[in-house]
């Protein structure tokens, strides 16, 4: 691939033991799948119907995460997990019970599609949380054993709340996707700021759904990755086919200081449901990225995504190649 942009790098930490596989011989895709997919089967814990759309971060020299484990009553709940290599996971058999001093906020009906973000001194968790409909729950943990719940960020209905890993313009910053109470046939990505993680405002429109694979709705995926070229935002996009929604993934570069300004955005997808574990499952034809681990010195990115609302999968990319691809295949 092109070496034109060899100064394009990740602004962040070194994660020398992050999971990685080189691009397979003969593959020309900018994002390639793990040969070990799916890395987490649907039945890894006794209670689970399916484990997918989950979030992973480096933690204490290994990895930790928050996992969407829909149980056999088909209730959507969250579990914590740990791993030494980011590939083989031990998921807690008990669901996360958030500690919350306000019963009104802490009542838990369901939670799904978590994101985890290291920010200042703790791991923040955001997820789609029931509060008279889906909205953005916010919590945090220091150790992935005890989890604390804060105020919901927004009014219902909202989904895909994704924090930035540092303050922007002096405030905490979050992407989200206002929606409806059902299987939302629309959806744009918005940006909001908060001085205290409680009160959110300064709402800005970031991106609308557009054409093709991203024509029905879009939503932010992993915590945005800071690069020398802007925030690298991997997101999902949906097209409505005769057979229902199809979820693919794309990438965009957002301005570092004003992230609601989109610099580049992929017209083609970077990953779409093509493998059996993405096309066959409880909801067919879904790839849904929720996390990415990146190593600044090497520019390696490992993406975690849900396959067919059933299993957890991984894919890999090299940051300079991905930025090059986003720029050269952009349509705003
Ligand atoms: C969305 C969310 C995701 C899911 C997707 C496909 O609305 O519920 O968790 O992966 O639908 O079913």
């Amino acid at each position: 691939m092109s070496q034109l942009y060899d100064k394009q790098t990740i602004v962040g930490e070194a994660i020398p033991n992050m999971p990685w596989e080189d691009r397979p011989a003969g593959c020309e895709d900018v994002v390639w799948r793990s040969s070990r997919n799916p890395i987490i089967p649907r039945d890894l814990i006794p209670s689970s119907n399916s484990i997918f759309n989950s979030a992973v971060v480096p933690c204490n020299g290994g990895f930790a995460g928050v996992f969407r484990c829909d149980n056999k009553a088909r209730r959507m709940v969250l579990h914590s997990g740990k791993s030494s290599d980011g590939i083989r996971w031990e998921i807690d058999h008990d669901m996360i019970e958030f500690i919350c001093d306000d019963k009104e906020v802490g009542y838990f009906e369901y939670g799904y599609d978590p994101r985890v973000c290291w920010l200042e001194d703790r791991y923040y968790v955001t997820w789609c949380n029931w509060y008279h409909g889906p909205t953005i729950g916010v919590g945090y943990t220091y150790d992935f054993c005890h989890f604390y719940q804060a105020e919901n960020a927004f009014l219902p209905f909202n989904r895909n709340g994704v924090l930035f890993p540092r303050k922007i313009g002096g405030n905490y910053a979050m992407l989200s996707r206002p929606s409806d109470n059902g299987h939302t046939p629309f959806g744009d990505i918005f940006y909001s700021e908060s001085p205290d993680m409680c009160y959110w405002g300064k709402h800005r429109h970031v991106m609308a759904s557009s054409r093709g694979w991203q024509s029905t709705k879009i939503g932010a995926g992993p915590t945005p990755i800071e690069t020398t070229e802007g925030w690298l935002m991997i997101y999902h996009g949906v097209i409505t086919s005769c057979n229902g929604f199809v979820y693919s993934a794309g990438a965009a570069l957002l301005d570092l200081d004003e992230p609601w300004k989109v610099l580049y955005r992929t017209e083609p997808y970077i990953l779409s449901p093509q493998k059996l574990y993405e096309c066959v499952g409880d909801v067919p034809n879904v790839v849904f990225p929720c996390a990415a681990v990146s190593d600044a010195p090497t520019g390696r990115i490992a993406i975690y995504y849900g396959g067919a609302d059933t299993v957890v999968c991984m894919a890999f990319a090299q940051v300079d190649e991905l930025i090059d691809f986003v720029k050269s295949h952009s349509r705003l």
Side-chain angles (χ1 to χ4, degrees), residues 52-53 68 76 112-113 159-160 177 182-184 217 236 238 245 247 283-288 306 308-309:
F52 58 109
N53 300 5
R68 172 174 177 174
M76 303 176 285
Y112 63 90
D113 296 358
R159 290 176 169 106
N160 300 301
R177 209 284 302 288
H183 297 295
T184 321
K217 54 182 170 177
H236 69 257
V238 179
F245 289 158
Y247 282 70
V283 181
N285 306 318
V286 180
V287 300
F288 197 98
D309 283 15

Side-chain angles (χ1 to χ4, degrees), residues 191 193 202 204-206 254-255 257-262:
Y191 169 92
E193 288 189 4
K202 199 178 169 186
R204 297 285 184 274
H205 184 262
V206 180
L254 312 180
D255 185 84
D257 301 319
E258 298 176 314
W260 56 91
K261 295 186 176 158
V262 183

